[in-house]
Amino acid sequence: MSRKRRRTPQRHAPAERTYATQAEELEALAREYPEDREEILVEAAGSWNDAEEYDRALALYQQLLDTGCEEPHLIEAYRISTLWDAGRADEARQAAGLLRRQHPADPGAWNFVAEALETAGELHDAADWFTAGLTRLFGAITPLTRSAVDNSTDPSGIEMLVIGRHRVRRRLGEPHDDLDNLADKLHEHRPTLLRGPGTLDDLHDPDRLRAAESGDAEALQAEFEKLAVEVAARRAALARPRMTCALFWSEIEFSQLLTRWPAFAEDYGTDHHDHIRRVEETLRNLSQEGEPHLGIAQGSVADFEAFTDEEGLSPRDGDTRAEYAADLASRGRAQAWPPPRNSPCWCGSSRKYKKCCGNPALT
């Protein structure tokens, strides 16, 4: 069964076709197509849950568990979530404890139980489940980085856990830790439509979350107005003159870049000092040609690969690197060139720009 999340219910289903009707139709469909039985019955259980026929939903989940299913830990997580919905908190906690001792390898199982706890107001337990899931999937010692998430067997499932953990800890007023910082980075690199305006801290603002959950019309209207202001600000930022960026790689990233794509040495040079010299020279030439709004965007190999995968571009194409630099600038990850003469040099050295790349005699 490929689905990792419970479907989003249609909250405005036609009156003549109720959730209970949908559930009955799905159960009949499962009998007609036994090869898809598990996925269809999970959908049917979800419809019974939406109809608040919790016993019917629980019976279907139990039937799947008793007769063998492909993803028992995920099914059990769905069952635990329904127990919470049904107000059977003690049973839900007991079942959650048993599931946790089975050490699920599916991020979805950890996420569903954590979200059920969060919905029930058990925020400390929810944060613990999010953290325990990440520890189980990556180990207590392995540093959890964006690259590790990207290279995992289920990047979207891991991202869901990291960002869910951030949301709960934000509601608890906990200070940022390394995993929260990772959540910020993962959110920053999401596609624009998923990311939306503002930071992850803005999105997970406790007052905003409470307003969304309260159903209070005035509070929701205030949030809509706030969002409209944020969207307008984002549009204004996008309307500003476009920055022309040169792409720069730190020494470590430069070494990884040439190991991954040796042909890039033709454009960047074979050593890092040569690369720095070429970047500064390119920007000076553009400035002399009258190009306004120049900048430098520092790339990383992992981020570049993620960008090319997401956009369906060839990393070997020179235009792709130019598009990547423009994308970094649009995300606010570029600095204007030239920097003030007495400011730190853009190349990352500890020297002032005027005594480093800003000194023509040294480049």
Side-chain angles (χ1 to χ4, degrees):
M1 185 174 64
S2 60
R3 186 182 58 78
K4 296 297 182 185
R5 305 186 190 187
R6 181 179 297 172
R7 58 179 176 72
T8 301
Q10 297 178 358
R11 294 298 177 189
H12 301 286
E16 65 274 11
R17 190 166 183 269
T18 64
Y19 294 126
T21 302
Q22 293 175 28
E24 290 171 346
E25 291 174 353
L26 286 165
E27 288 196 49
L29 196 64
R31 291 190 290 271
E32 186 176 351
Y33 297 98
E35 67 277 12
D36 297 319
R37 170 179 173 274
E38 182 173 339
E39 186 166 0
I40 296 172
L41 287 184
V42 167
E43 294 293 322
S47 291
W48 284 124
N49 192 81
D50 294 335
E52 298 184 1
E53 294 280 355
Y54 301 120
D55 288 342
R56 299 288 295 268
L58 292 167
L60 284 185
Y61 289 136
Q62 194 61 55
Q63 179 184 333
L64 286 168
L65 291 167
D66 291 342
T67 57
C69 51
E70 294 180 8
E71 298 176 309
H73 291 154
L74 191 60
I75 299 300
E76 177 63 3
Y78 294 159
R79 194 182 76 86
I80 292 167
S81 181
T82 298
L83 284 170
W84 277 109
D85 290 343
R88 294 158 64 172
D90 290 342
E91 290 179 64
R93 288 192 186 91
Q94 183 179 8
L98 291 172
L99 177 61
R100 183 162 175 169
R101 288 194 287 275
Q102 295 172 27
H103 307 295
D106 187 336
W110 293 96
N111 186 72
F112 265 99
V113 176
E115 287 190 346
L117 288 163
E118 180 184 3
T119 301
E122 307 281 346
L123 298 184
H124 288 283
D125 287 342
D128 181 55
W129 264 82
F130 280 122
T131 303
L134 292 167
T135 301
R136 164 64 182 86
L137 296 168
F138 280 92
I141 300 177
T142 305
L144 188 51
T145 62
R146 181 167 172 259
S147 177
V149 174
D150 291 340
N151 294 326
S152 68
T153 57
D154 187 0
S156 62
I158 299 298
E159 179 179 294
M160 197 161 48
L161 286 175
V162 176
I163 290 181
R165 180 182 183 274
H166 180 287
R167 181 181 62 249
V168 172
R169 285 172 53 81
R170 182 87 166 85
R171 299 179 78 164
L172 288 168
E174 299 286 350
H176 268 42
D177 60 10
D178 290 342
L179 284 177
D180 291 321
N181 293 333
L182 172 62
D184 291 332
K185 293 178 182 177
L186 292 173
H187 178 73
E188 180 184 343
H189 288 85
R190 280 177 158 180
T192 303
L193 289 178
L194 291 179
R195 187 170 67 248
T199 66
L200 193 60
D201 273 350
D202 295 331
L203 186 65
H204 290 167
D205 179 81
D207 291 336
R208 173 174 287 185
L209 292 173
R210 279 192 292 271
E213 293 171 351
S214 69
D216 180 86
E218 291 185 4
L220 288 173
Q221 181 62 36
E223 283 303 315
F224 288 146
E225 292 174 357
K226 182 178 180 181
L227 182 61
V229 171
E230 292 173 352
V231 171
R234 185 174 180 84
R235 285 176 177 168
L238 292 173
R240 295 184 189 120
R242 184 174 178 178
M243 178 183 284
T244 301
C245 281
L247 192 56
F248 164 67
W249 308 86
S250 69
E251 189 166 5
I252 293 175
E253 294 291 341
F254 181 76
S255 175
Q256 294 177 358
L257 187 77
L258 294 191
T259 299
R260 182 74 175 81
W261 295 287
F264 284 9
E266 183 176 340
D267 295 324
Y268 292 137
T270 56
D271 65 76
H272 194 246
H273 177 76
D274 190 24
H275 168 53
I276 292 173
R277 181 188 60 78
R278 292 189 186 204
V279 171
E280 180 72 19
E281 186 178 81
T282 296
L283 289 165
R284 287 182 185 177
N285 290 338
L286 288 170
S287 179
Q288 290 171 4
E289 292 169 5
E291 184 73 32
H293 312 297
L294 296 173
I296 297 173
Q298 183 171 329
S300 76
V301 173
D303 188 46
F304 178 57
E305 288 188 306
F307 170 78
T308 56
D309 288 344
E310 183 177 304
E311 300 297 328
L313 301 172
S314 169
R316 293 176 176 80
D317 190 335
D319 289 341
T320 297
R321 279 169 273 156
E323 289 187 40
Y324 174 54
D327 181 69
L328 289 172
S330 72
R331 287 187 263 157
R333 297 177 59 189
Q335 65 180 74
W337 182 94
R341 288 178 54 78
N342 288 315
S343 293
C345 187
W346 59 262
C347 72
S349 72
S350 58
R351 292 177 291 173
K352 295 179 179 179
Y353 176 65
K354 67 181 182 182
K355 294 184 178 181
C356 191
C357 294
N359 182 351
L362 299 178
T363 57

